[in-house]
C-alpha cells in the first residue's frame, strides 16, 4: 500500500500522485474543505472538489488537452471548471470592463487558453487580486463568448469574490455577483 501524506493546508490524505501533481494554487482552493469533499471518485477519475449541491469543481492550473476536457465532462456530468488565469490578468492580457453598478462585466483576453473552446460546462477563471477592483480577489464566470478572433477571446460574464466562490464550494452558499463600487462621475 502506498504511503499517504497529509496535506498541511486541509488535512486531506494525499497519495504519491496527488502530492506530485498538486500545486499551492490547488491546495489553496481546498483549504477549509471537508475531507469528503476532496478527491471524489467518479468512474476512473477523482473530481477535485464536490460541493454540498453535488457539483464537481475541477481545479485546473495548467494546460489540459481537449480530449481530456471532453472525457472529464462526460464522466463528471454535473461539473464546473475553475481555471487559473491570475498571471494573464495581472499581466494585462485578460482585461475586464465593468458596467458601473451592475454585476455584468465584459472581458478581452489576448493569447487565451486554447482549449477553453472545448469546455461545454461552465467556465470560471481565477483572476487573482485584481487591480481593476481595488485588489479584490475575483473569479470570472464566462457567460457569453464572442466569435474567436486570432489570438483573442472576448465576451461577457459575471464576477464573484474568491471568498464567495469558496463559500459556495465549501458550504453551498449561493453565489452573489460582485458589483464594483461606482464613482459619482461613473454613475452619471
Amino acid at each position: 500500500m502506498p504511503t499517504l501524506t497529509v496535506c498541511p493546508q486541509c488535512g486531506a490524505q494525499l497519495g504519491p500522485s496527488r502530492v506530485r501533481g498538486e500545486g499551492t494554487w490547488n491546495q489553496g482552493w481546498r483549504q477549509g474543505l471537508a475531507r469528503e469533499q476532496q478527491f471524489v471518485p467518479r468512474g476512473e477519475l477523482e473530481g477535485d472538489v464536490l460541493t454540498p449541491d453535488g457539483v464537481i469543481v475541477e481545479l485546473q492550473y495548467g494546460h489540459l488537452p481537449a480530449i481530456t476536457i471532453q472525457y472529464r465532462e462526460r464522466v463528471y456530468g454535473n461539473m464546473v471548471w475553475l481555471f487559473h488565469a491570475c498571471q494573464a490578468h495581472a499581466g494585462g492580457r485578460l482585461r475586464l470592463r465593468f458596467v458601473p453598478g451592475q454585476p455584468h462585466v465584459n472581458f478581452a483576453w489576448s493569447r487565451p487558453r486554447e482549449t477553453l473552446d472545448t469546455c461545454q460546462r461552465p467556465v470560471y477563471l481565477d483572476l487573482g487580486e485584481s487591480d481593476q477592483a481595488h485588489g479584490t480577489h475575483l473569479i470570472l464566470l464566462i457567460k457569453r463568448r464572442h466569435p474567436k478572433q486570432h489570438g483573442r477571446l472576448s465576451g461577457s460574464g459575471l464576477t464573484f469574490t474568491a471568498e464567495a466562490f469558496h463559500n459556495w464550494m465549501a458550504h453551498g452558499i449561493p453565489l452573489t455577483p460582485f458589483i464594483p463600487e461606482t464613482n459619482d462621475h461613473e454613475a452619471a
Side-chain angles (χ1 to χ4, degrees):
M1 178 152 184
T3 304
L4 297 177
T5 302
V6 175
C7 174
Q9 281 82 14
C10 66
Q13 291 187 340
L14 306 175
S17 63
R18 290 182 183 156
V19 173
R20 281 193 303 273
E22 192 75 351
T24 56
W25 179 80
N26 295 65
Q27 291 172 359
W29 278 107
R30 288 187 210 293
Q31 194 167 18
L33 298 177
R35 180 177 292 171
E36 59 272 6
Q37 289 183 273
Q38 303 179 55
F39 305 110
V40 181
R42 291 290 188 266
E44 296 177 2
L45 300 174
E46 288 182 324
D48 288 328
V49 173
L50 178 65
T51 71
D53 300 330
V55 178
I56 294 285
V57 179
E58 191 67 4
L59 305 171
Q60 193 57 46
Y61 182 85
H63 173 76
L64 200 61
I67 190 122
T68 304
I69 289 172
Q70 293 167 341
Y71 180 66
R72 288 184 187 182
E73 288 186 349
R74 192 170 51 254
V75 170
Y76 295 149
N78 189 18
M79 68 154 312
V80 301
W81 293 97
L82 178 61
F83 286 98
H84 180 273
C86 301
Q87 288 141 339
H89 184 58
R93 291 189 305 111
L94 174 51
R95 300 298 293 169
L96 306 175
R97 189 167 44 107
F98 291 101
V99 179
Q102 299 292 316
H104 306 286
V105 63
N106 295 310
F107 71 90
W109 190 356
S110 62
R111 298 187 327 268
R113 289 177 175 260
E114 291 298 319
T115 53
L116 281 182
D117 288 338
T118 305
C119 298
Q120 298 299 306
R121 303 289 189 254
V123 172
Y124 292 84
L125 302 175
D126 181 354
L127 304 178
E129 294 176 358
S130 177
D131 65 345
Q132 292 187 268
H134 308 291
T136 303
H137 187 162
L138 293 180
I139 306 298
L140 169 66
L141 167 61
I142 297 176
K143 297 289 280 181
R144 191 171 125 206
R145 301 174 203 184
H146 300 303
K148 194 170 181 183
Q149 302 166 349
H150 181 67
R152 181 180 163 94
L153 175 66
S154 61
S156 60
L158 297 171
T159 53
F160 306 93
T161 64
E163 180 181 16
F165 192 85
H166 192 272
N167 284 336
W168 169 69
M169 285 194 323
H171 310 292
I173 298 171
L175 281 169
T176 303
F178 170 78
I179 299 176
E181 297 177 14
T182 57
N183 297 331
D184 290 338
H185 71 276
E186 289 175 335

